[in-house]
Amino acid sequence: MGLDLISRYRNLPKPRVVGLMSGTSLDAIDAVLVEMGQERPRFIRLVSCPLDSEVRVQLLKICRNESDVWELTRMHWFMGELLAEAVEKLKGECEAAGDKAPFDLIASHGQTVCHLPVSASFLGHSVRGTLQIGEGAVIAERTGCLTVCDFRPQDLALGGQGAPLVPFADQIFFHSPDVDRIALNIGGMANITYIPKCGECLACDTGPGNALCDRATEVYLNEPCDRDGRLASSGSIIPELLSKLAESPFLRMPAPKSTGREEFGADLADRIIAEASKQGWEAADVMRTLAAFTAYSIALHVNRAHEDKDAPCEILSGGGGIHNRAIMQELRERLDGRFTFKGMESAGVPPQAREAMAFALFGHYTVLGKFSNLPSCTGAGHSCCLGKIVLP
């Protein structure tokens, strides 16, 4: 039965794939329906399922290493249920719109709770690792659909960072023969994919996206995020704080590289807030400085990617951070006239759907037995087929 499902999928002319993504912002599960079989995947529909506050608090505990193995195990399985519910919600919205065609495959990134791409000594050995939760077997059984999950470990096992993976999809979604482009995503972390009109695609995480701002907003306003960057927009940069943040060793590391909350998360934000209290800095000024640091780190990597080129470059932006006015204002001020900003939707990819669409593409390639990582972006020893197939 299982091999029949895989064989059937491989013979479909235009398979329909659901991509599932829950990012480092921990705000929602995005479920996107994509049609394969074209030169570029065709977006059909997106639903976003917000994570309630109790789930978010528990995930943050796990990400901050404040949880135990029992809680981690239960959350792994519970996230599987939530991911399956997102598929059912997407199915319901499709049917309500008159689209009763079945889904042929589900591809789930899950929720990253720990990402340790740099080797460290453990039990006398040099060990790296990454962990995405959301049990694929639960998704497959609840939906009755062929499922692919756990995409990052194979790249990591080959010496790569296990991230960023999305650039493989970016070059398919966004390449133009007429202009160099950069796909910019500002989620919990920020990352860029440089897609020249000719030449090799390059990519890396640039540092924090919303994570530091979000943690500071929790402390200062008891809100999950600084909506539209309102508090940050009312403040001024604290030069000595920005200068200190700009000394981060991560910013000096060459690509390929990736990062996460372990480096630019609550621990760092809490140290900054404690220092702010000691120095008497205003909350709005701290928020403005954190927004400026996000913009500074993005601009640094954008300029590196497009250095020594006078040609124009389009920045196709997405992620929740693009709605933060302070971040975007600071970013524009740090980039020169070569760069113009457009939304990802100008290239046919709704910004909120981009990452979920990418994992839909990865799942499609996995079942076809095709490679779908970019060693030039992750540092892996060679290309590989990502993900693990789960049969219902």
Side-chain angles (χ1 to χ4, degrees), residues 166 170 173-174 180-187 189-193 195 210 294 298 302 313-324 327-329 331-332 335 339-355:
V166 174
D170 283 341
F173 296 161
F174 301 127
D180 296 334
R181 284 175 164 172
I182 289 176
L184 165 64
N185 179 67
I186 309 177
M189 299 299 125
N191 51 71
I192 61 168
T193 305
I195 312 157
N210 304 310
T294 289
I298 293 169
V302 165
C313 181
E314 292 180 350
I315 297 179
L316 305 180
S317 53
I322 66 173
H323 303 298
N324 185 312
I327 291 176
M328 297 308 293
Q329 179 185 341
L331 181 57
R332 286 185 171 92
L335 295 174
F339 301 98
T340 57
F341 285 82
K342 294 184 177 181
M344 291 180 177
E345 66 274 9
S346 66
V349 178
Q352 190 175 351
R354 173 231 186 187
E355 290 188 294

Side-chain angles (χ1 to χ4, degrees), residues 153-172:
Q154 187 71 31
D155 185 271
L156 206 73
L158 289 169
Q161 296 266 315
L165 297 181
V166 174
F168 178 87
D170 283 341
Q171 66 179 358
I172 294 173

Side-chain angles (χ1 to χ4, degrees), residues 106-140:
I106 296 169
S108 174
H109 168 268
Q111 176 67 64
T112 298
V113 293
C114 189
H115 186 61
L116 304 173
V118 178
S119 294
S121 178
F122 182 72
L123 299 179
H125 296 270
S126 182
V127 179
R128 305 180 306 142
T130 188
L131 181 62
Q132 287 72 45
I133 63 173
E135 177 54 54
V138 173
I139 301 169

Side-chain angles (χ1 to χ4, degrees), residues 237 242 292 295-296 299 303 329-336:
I237 292 173
L242 181 57
Y296 169 85
N303 281 315
Q329 179 185 341
E330 293 285 344
L331 181 57
R332 286 185 171 92
E333 290 178 358
R334 285 170 166 76
L335 295 174
D336 60 38

